[in-house]
């Protein structure tokens, strides 16, 4: 008991260690020409206290211990300085830059985009609002190194350096989006970019904190639904836009207010649109007939989102929670069902009858519903060791139902509980974070297309991230250990989807189901090391090396069924095929092991700047689907493809093989005049199996683009051209994709409406009405990119 008391007293003394006296620090913020900078933000690191410099660049701020001040201003490089209680008359000089600098919330250590060791891209402010689209994939696909999966414009997920799905983690304020977008390409992401403050795309070691599902990267959507700084006035925003290509209308609104430390947030969006139009293209239907199309059928959307949040913010404590709901109906293009029918020997009347039945079938669409709760507790101790303790918790109830002929065909659900505890600290010359991450995902699928059985996936992880400054060099080290467990009940019976009830009953009698209780645990270990060298003011070189391990998702391990979206029958890693029968024998399942090297060159001072990233990713036991040479027939089950019925679909099974991905991405800009800027950007990714076993499937085509920005006072003009090259590095079951060039134009006009800051804008996407097919899409031949689209809108802030 005495020992316990002593230990408790020691811990309490550490947590309560404070300097005896508070102090007031005064100073001045100037530019490189010794001129004062007005409205620069001065923030005490680890606390919620922020003040602004006056018209003379002067400021005064209170600290209660040795502290770090973070000074930032638009169009200037951030500065961080250490102050003590004896510091006074501090002078801070900020270096001008033509690159916007923003704090990257997913970095965990409050770094700006220019201070990051690992490559990062951030969309925020007007740039985000101008590029915002219906899905995350379409919003981000113009960034170097980022592309989109594109299952039509209403279901499009980000691809980072050739990796997507289970290898790209999509988070909201650092917690998993918890939808079903990793299960199939036709499942839309639940994150909405319209209400976002900024969207961050991270690659390499910076993804370490987010677990084994982030070996390709992290997309973090940052919003202010739980306000973390005090709101003293009523502020808000509203926007309306209309798209001609799909006759869609979008309305969005946001309100925020606060009083005496209590803060409130509301935002909501409503979007509705019809099938989108395309340039003329031809498509082959399921009967082999060639048809000419000018639109992609079944790509409508009808969506509503509502979000509420509140918080209490004091000098040391922040407590808050938020609730959000999403209700979206959207069409699923190319979602035909395989109804076996032999036309041979039909009379004209019978053939016409079957054609009428086919035309009478209603298109399949999805009903997505999600309720999401998040909570935040943050306490800034601001003592000599521990700076901040931060706890984020979340619960998500997600449902995705596919409606066929007016009835629910298949429902996918995912209930996720997640918690992340971070302790930010200082120890000697090291600054870092210790953390614990818990996640529990209860996934289920019910219906004809439940190709993956219900499963519960639980993970517990500990991680550490530390950094130290050595003059002009900042060193960063990180490690994470994760216990990953997956549980499921596996049926030994094959998945048949006959629509004849008598046939189903016969199969039930012939195949007595045996339920196998399956449980497997994996230990995923990840580590990273990186450094950034500011070898001259405004220029840096960064090098990082990371090793990450990933266990298979339930879809990769346990799938056994017909997946209509991909037009295949899928088998997981846990199955063994013998005599045209699949047996569940999950032996020697190996984890994916990724070793990634990143080298970055950056210049961000003055009128000319650039970022160039080179990467090499060696992945052992890469999970991919391979053609088994078998097909699936609704009546016969699995059988040889030789002599099989035309309606039978190919059987693909997940295998693990060694792979490598490498390439580069770049973004350069030049401020020609104070009103004119030109940008050039591009990326290239090569992805293949080792031992000359061929290419990986659906790898994005290389792209090269340029952007011209011109500012005429209240009028801002932007013209962007992007060329997507031919993609000839394909697998045996792919076809090559021709290149295309897209031109987009934007015009924003600032309206003078007194207290309201308003903008009227016109965006013209695909200015030349170019026909383009996306190589990464599972339905590329059926769903080309939209044709010329004129987007008219108005947005206002008060």
């Amino acid at each position: 008991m005495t020992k316990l008391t002593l230990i408790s007293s020691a811990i309490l003394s550490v947590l309560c260690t404070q300097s005896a006296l508070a102090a007031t620090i005064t100073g001045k913020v100037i530019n490189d020409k010794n001129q004062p900078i007005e409205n620069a933000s001065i923030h005490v690191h680890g606390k919620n206290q922020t003040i602004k410099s006056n018209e003379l660049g002067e400021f005064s701020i209170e600290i209660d211990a040795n502290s770090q001040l973070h000074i930032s201003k638009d169009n200037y490089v951030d500065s961080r300085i250490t102050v003590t209680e004896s510091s006074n008359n501090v002078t801070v000089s900020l270096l001008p830059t033509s690159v916007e600098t923003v704090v990257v919330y997913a970095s965990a250590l409050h770094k700006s985009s220019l201070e990051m060791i690992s490559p990062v891209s951030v969309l925020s402010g007007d740039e985000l609002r101008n590029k915002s689209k219906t899905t995350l994939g379409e919003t981000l696909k113009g960034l170097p190194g980022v592309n989109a999966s594109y299952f039509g414009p209403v279901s499009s997920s980000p691809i980072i350096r050739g990796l997507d799905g289970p290898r790209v983690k999509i988070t909201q304020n650092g917690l998993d989006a918890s939808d079903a977008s990793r299960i199939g390409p036709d499942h839309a992401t639940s994150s909405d970019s319209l209400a976002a403050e900024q969207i961050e795309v991270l690659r390499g070691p910076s993804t370490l904190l987010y677990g084994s599902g982030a070996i390709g990267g992290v997309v973090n959507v940052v919003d202010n639904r739980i306000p973390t700084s005090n709101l003293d006035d009523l502020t808000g925003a509203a926007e309306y836009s209309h798209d001609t290509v799909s006759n869609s209308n979008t309305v969005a609104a946001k309100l925020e207010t606060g009083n005496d430390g209590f803060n409130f947030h509301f935002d909501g969006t409503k979007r509705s649109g019809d099938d989108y139009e395309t340039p003329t293209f031809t498509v082959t239907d399921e009967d082999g007939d060639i048809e000419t199309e000018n639109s992609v059928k079944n790509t409508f959307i009808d969506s509503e989102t509502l979000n509420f949040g509140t918080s209490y913010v004091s000098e040391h404590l922040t407590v808050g929670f938020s609730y959000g709901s999403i209700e979206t109906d959207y069409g699923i293009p190319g979602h035909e069902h395989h109804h076996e029918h032999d036309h041979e020997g039909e009379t004209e009347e019978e053939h016409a009858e079957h054609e009428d039945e086919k035309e009478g079938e209603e298109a399949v669409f999805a009903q997505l519903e999600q309720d999401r709760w998040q909570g935040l507790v943050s306490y800034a101790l601001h003592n000599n060791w521990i700076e901040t303790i931060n706890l984020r918790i979340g619960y998500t109830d997600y449902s995705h139902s596919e409606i066929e002929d007016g009835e629910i065909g298949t429902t996918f659900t995912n209930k996720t509980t997640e918690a992340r505890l971070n302790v930010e600290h200082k120890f000697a010359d090291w600054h870092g974070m210790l953390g614990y991450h818990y996640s529990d995902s209860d996934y289920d699928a019910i219906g004809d297309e439940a190709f993956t059985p219900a499963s519960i996936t639980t993970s517990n992880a500990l991680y550490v991230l530390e950094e130290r400054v050595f003059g002009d060099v900042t060193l960063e080290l990180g490690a994470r250990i994760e216990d990953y467990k997956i549980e499921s009940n596996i049926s030994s019976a094959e998945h048949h989807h006959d629509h004849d009830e008598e046939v189903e009953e016969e199969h039930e009698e012939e195949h007595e189901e045996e339920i196998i209780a399956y449980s497997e645990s994996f230990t995923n270990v990840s580590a990273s090391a990186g450094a950034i060298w500011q070898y001259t003011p405004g220029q840096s070189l960064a090098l990082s090396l990371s090793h990450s391990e990933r266990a298979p998702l339930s879809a990769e391990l346990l799938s056994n069924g017909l997946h209509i979206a991909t037009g295949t029958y899928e088998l997981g890693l846990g199955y063994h095929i013998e005599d045209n029968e699949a047996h569940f024998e999950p032996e020697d399942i190996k984890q994916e092991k990724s070793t990634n090297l990143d080298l970055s060159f950056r210049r961000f001072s003055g009128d000319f700047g650039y970022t160039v990233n080179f990467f090499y990713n060696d992945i052992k036991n890469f999970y991919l689907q391979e053609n088994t040479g078998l097909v699936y027939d609704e009546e016969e089950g699995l059988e040889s493809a030789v002599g099989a019925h035309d309606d039978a679909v190919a059987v693909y099974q997940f295998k693990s093989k060694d792979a490598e991905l490498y390439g580069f991405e770049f973004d350069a800009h030049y401020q020609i005049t104070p009103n004119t800027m030109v940008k050039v950007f591009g990326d290239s990714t090569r992805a293949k199996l080792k031992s000359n076993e061929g290419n990986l499937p659906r790898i994005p085509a290389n792209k090269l683009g340029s952007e011209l920005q011109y500012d005429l006072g209240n009028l801002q003009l932007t013209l962007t051209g992007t060329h997507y090259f031919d993609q000839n590095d394909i697998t045996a079951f792919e076809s090559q994709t021709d290149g295309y060039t897209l031109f987009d134009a934007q015009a924003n006009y600032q309206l003078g409406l007194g207290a309201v800051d308003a903008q009227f804008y016109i965006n013209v996407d695909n200015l030349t009405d170019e026909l383009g097919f996306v190589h990464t899409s599972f339905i590329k031949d059926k769903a080309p990119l939209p044709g010329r689209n004129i987007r008219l809108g108005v947005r206002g802030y008060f």
Side-chain angles (χ1 to χ4, degrees):
M1 184 68 180
T2 303
K3 287 185 178 180
L4 182 60
T5 303
L6 290 173
I7 292 172
S8 301
S9 300
I11 294 174
L12 185 62
S13 66
V14 168
L15 295 179
C16 296
T17 298
Q18 301 284 336
S19 299
L21 298 173
T24 299
I25 305 299
T26 60
K28 186 174 184 179
V29 185
I30 60 175
N31 61 21
D32 58 334
K33 298 177 181 178
N34 291 323
Q35 297 172 331
I37 298 178
E38 185 181 1
N39 285 327
S41 296
I42 299 92
H43 173 74
V44 179
H45 180 62
K47 299 178 70 175
N48 295 315
Q49 183 181 5
T50 301
I51 55 98
K52 299 284 188 179
S53 60
N54 62 20
E55 66 275 5
L56 299 177
E58 298 168 340
F59 67 89
S60 177
I61 192 167
E62 290 188 358
I63 63 170
D64 53 16
N66 294 342
S67 305
Q68 184 187 80
L69 297 184
H70 178 201
I71 301 94
S72 61
K73 171 72 174 176
D74 290 346
N75 301 319
Y76 290 89
V77 180
D78 291 11
S79 178
R80 299 176 190 271
I81 61 171
T82 300
V83 293
T84 65
E85 293 174 1
S86 60
S87 300
N88 203 2
N89 294 324
V90 175
T91 299
V92 183
S93 180
L94 299 184
L95 187 69
T97 175
S98 55
V99 178
E100 183 179 10
T101 61
V102 292
V103 173
V104 180
Y105 292 93
S107 69
L109 295 179
H110 317 286
K111 291 188 174 184
S112 75
S113 53
L114 301 181
E115 297 171 319
M116 294 286 292
I117 292 175
S118 301
V120 61
S121 300
V122 181
L123 278 181
S124 62
D126 287 339
E127 184 182 16
L128 171 59
R129 287 184 280 271
N130 289 334
K131 294 183 177 180
S132 179
K133 297 290 192 300
T134 308
T135 64
L136 274 182
E138 294 304 291
T139 299
L140 301 174
K141 69 178 184 180
L143 296 175
V146 183
N147 288 274
S149 60
Y150 200 75
F151 207 91
V154 293
S155 180
S156 184
S157 299
I159 299 174
I160 301 177
R161 293 176 171 178
L163 299 177
D164 65 345
R167 299 177 182 89
V168 172
K169 178 81 76 175
I170 298 175
T171 62
Q172 180 184 337
N173 301 317
L175 296 182
D176 200 318
S178 303
D179 51 37
S181 60
R182 297 195 229 181
I183 301 298
D186 57 327
H187 295 182
T189 58
S190 59
S191 299
D192 194 332
S193 61
L194 275 177
E197 300 288 326
Q198 66 186 49
I199 303 178
E200 306 162 348
V201 181
L202 291 79
R203 300 95 156 172
S206 56
T207 67
L208 183 77
L209 305 183
Y210 295 92
S212 59
I215 67 172
V218 172
V219 175
N220 185 41
V221 179
V222 180
D223 55 52
N224 197 40
R225 288 169 183 165
I226 301 180
T228 54
S229 59
N230 282 321
L231 306 172
D232 298 322
D233 302 312
L234 175 64
T235 61
E239 179 175 0
Y240 166 77
S241 66
H242 175 78
D243 289 77
T244 60
V245 77
S246 58
N247 192 33
S248 64
N249 296 284
T250 302
V251 179
K254 179 175 74 172
L255 287 173
E256 292 183 335
T257 189
N259 182 49
D260 198 21
F262 291 93
N263 309 283
F264 304 93
H265 170 99
F266 161 81
D267 71 76
T269 61
K270 181 173 177 56
R271 178 190 291 116
S272 61
D274 302 328
D275 297 347
Y276 73 91
E277 298 174 350
T278 69
T280 302
F281 71 104
T282 58
V283 62
T284 303
D285 65 17
E286 58 186 15
D287 294 327
D289 298 328
I290 298 177
E291 298 179 354
T292 299
E293 301 286 355
N294 291 100
S295 66
V296 177
K297 298 177 181 177
N298 200 28
T299 54
F300 73 90
I301 186 170
D302 189 357
S303 175
E304 290 184 5
T305 68
L306 287 175
N307 298 279
F308 303 90
T310 185
S311 68
Y312 171 75
V313 179
S314 65
E315 184 178 359
H316 290 276
L317 177 66
T318 299
V319 179
F321 71 91
S322 67
Y323 166 75
S325 70
I326 302 173
E327 294 185 2
T328 300
D329 292 355
Y330 67 92
I332 306 177
H335 206 300
E336 295 89 1
H337 288 269
H338 294 266
H339 300 292
E340 185 173 332
H341 184 74
D342 190 352
H343 294 283
E344 187 175 349
E346 282 185 340
T347 65
E348 290 184 8
E349 291 79 4
E350 289 172 334
H351 180 76
E353 182 181 345
H354 290 137
E355 289 298 309
D356 290 340
E357 289 177 357
K358 185 174 69 173
E359 291 178 3
E361 291 179 358
E362 295 183 19
V364 178
F365 69 95
Q367 284 185 341
L368 186 158
E369 296 181 359
Q370 178 176 282
D371 293 305
R372 184 180 181 90
W373 291 264
Q374 283 196 352
L376 168 67
V377 179
S378 179
Y379 189 74
L381 287 85
H382 209 68
N383 60 38
N384 293 330
W385 288 7
I386 298 177
E387 293 184 324
T388 307
I389 298 176
N390 185 289
L391 173 65
R392 281 194 179 271
I393 56 176
Y395 176 77
T396 303
D397 187 352
Y398 171 92
S399 174
H400 169 109
S401 297
E402 296 186 355
I403 312 302
E404 308 170 12
D405 296 328
E407 298 180 355
I408 296 178
T410 308
T411 296
F412 301 86
T413 64
N414 189 18
K415 297 180 179 181
T416 301
T417 304
E418 188 175 10
R420 184 182 294 276
L421 176 66
N422 292 331
V423 179
E424 190 175 352
H425 63 272
K426 286 182 179 178
F427 183 75
D429 293 325
W430 291 89
H431 172 223
M433 178 173 290
L434 295 171
Y436 167 71
H437 183 206
Y438 168 80
S439 177
D440 179 88
S441 175
D442 187 350
Y443 164 81
D444 198 3
I446 304 170
D448 288 346
E449 294 178 34
F451 60 95
T452 301
S455 62
I456 297 176
T457 304
T458 307
S459 66
N460 292 273
L462 295 172
Y463 52 85
V464 59
L465 187 66
E466 302 289 337
E467 69 171 9
R468 181 176 176 180
V469 178
F470 299 88
D472 296 329
V473 177
T474 300
L475 176 67
E476 184 178 284
L477 304 174
R480 176 185 173 108
I481 183 168
E482 176 184 81
D483 176 67
Y484 179 96
K485 184 178 182 181
I486 184 168
E487 300 173 281
S488 182
N489 291 322
I490 309 300
S491 170
S492 62
E494 292 183 9
H495 290 201
H496 292 277
H497 304 297
D498 304 278
H499 296 271
D500 189 327
E501 293 183 3
E502 294 181 4
V503 175
E504 287 182 354
E505 291 175 2
E506 290 177 8
H507 279 296
E508 287 178 3
E509 293 175 1
E510 293 176 5
H511 298 275
E512 243 182 78
E513 291 190 9
E514 177 188 351
I515 303 300
I516 303 171
Y518 175 74
S519 177
E520 186 62 63
S521 295
F522 301 86
T523 300
N524 300 314
V525 178
S526 302
S528 67
I532 184 169
W533 176 29
Q534 304 281 352
Y535 59 88
T536 191
Q539 298 187 57
S540 65
L541 179 138
L543 179 67
S544 59
L545 178 67
S546 65
H547 174 81
S548 302
E549 297 180 351
R550 183 177 81 88
L553 292 182
S554 59
E556 297 168 313
L557 181 61
L558 308 176
S559 291
N560 180 14
L562 186 62
H563 191 178
I564 298 297
T566 62
T568 62
Y569 190 97
E570 295 188 4
L571 283 175
L573 290 162
Y575 283 87
H576 172 68
I577 299 177
E578 184 177 352
D579 296 330
N580 292 349
E581 290 188 0
H583 305 278
F584 187 66
E585 299 175 2
E587 299 177 358
D588 193 26
I589 303 298
K590 297 179 180 179
Q591 296 143 291
E592 276 190 354
K593 297 183 178 182
S594 166
T595 301
N596 188 82
L597 179 68
D598 263 291
L599 177 63
S600 300
F601 299 89
R602 302 170 191 162
R603 175 189 171 99
F604 44 85
S605 63
D607 294 332
F608 175 63
Y610 56 79
T611 298
V612 182
N613 305 319
F614 297 92
F615 68 92
Y616 178 81
N617 195 354
D618 180 279
I619 305 180
K620 292 185 177 180
N621 309 316
F622 184 88
Y623 306 144
L624 76 158
Q625 292 177 299
E626 286 192 340
N627 195 325
T628 62
L630 301 176
V631 295
Y632 170 75
D633 184 275
E634 290 185 340
E635 292 184 355
E636 303 298 330
L638 303 186
E639 61 177 351
S640 172
V642 179
H645 196 280
D646 291 341
D647 286 342
V649 297
V651 177
Y652 282 80
Q653 183 173 20
F654 281 95
K655 298 286 186 180
S656 59
K657 293 188 175 183
D658 295 346
E660 60 180 352
L661 299 90
Y662 52 88
F664 64 88
E665 58 215 13
F666 70 92
D667 186 356
H669 67 271
Y670 180 58
Q671 190 79 41
I672 302 173
T673 70
N675 298 328
T676 309
M677 176 185 284
V678 64
K679 294 183 178 181
V680 180
F681 58 90
D683 58 52
S684 174
T685 299
R686 186 77 175 90
K688 58 184 179 180
L689 295 171
K690 289 189 171 182
S691 303
N692 295 319
E693 292 194 56
N695 301 304
L696 292 181
R698 288 177 296 280
I699 295 302
N702 300 336
K703 70 172 180 275
L704 177 64
S706 181
E707 182 173 290
L708 177 64
Q709 299 177 358
Y710 191 67
D711 192 339
L712 284 171
N714 290 332
L715 178 64
Q716 295 85 41
L717 303 173
T718 303
L719 177 64
T720 306
T722 308
H723 178 70
Y724 293 83
F725 291 85
D726 296 346
Q727 181 54 286
N728 301 315
D729 298 324
I730 57 178
T731 62
F733 58 88
E734 289 183 288
S735 60
Q736 76 173 49
T737 304
D738 294 334
Y740 53 92
T741 303
L742 300 179
F743 290 97
D744 304 324
Q746 298 175 356
N748 283 33
Y749 185 75
Q750 305 292 327
L751 301 172
L753 298 178
V756 178
D757 179 14
Q759 293 180 354
F760 174 74
Y761 61 89
I762 301 176
N763 295 354
V764 184
D765 300 326
N766 194 1
L767 193 64
T768 59
D769 204 32
E770 177 88 351
L771 178 63
F773 295 92
V774 182
H775 185 75
T776 54
S777 174
F778 277 90
I779 55 170
K780 70 169 186 176
D781 295 327
K782 299 178 181 178
L785 290 169
R788 184 186 299 110
N789 176 45
I790 300 175
R791 182 183 184 188
L792 304 172
V794 61
R795 61 173 71 103
Y797 311 89
F798 62 90

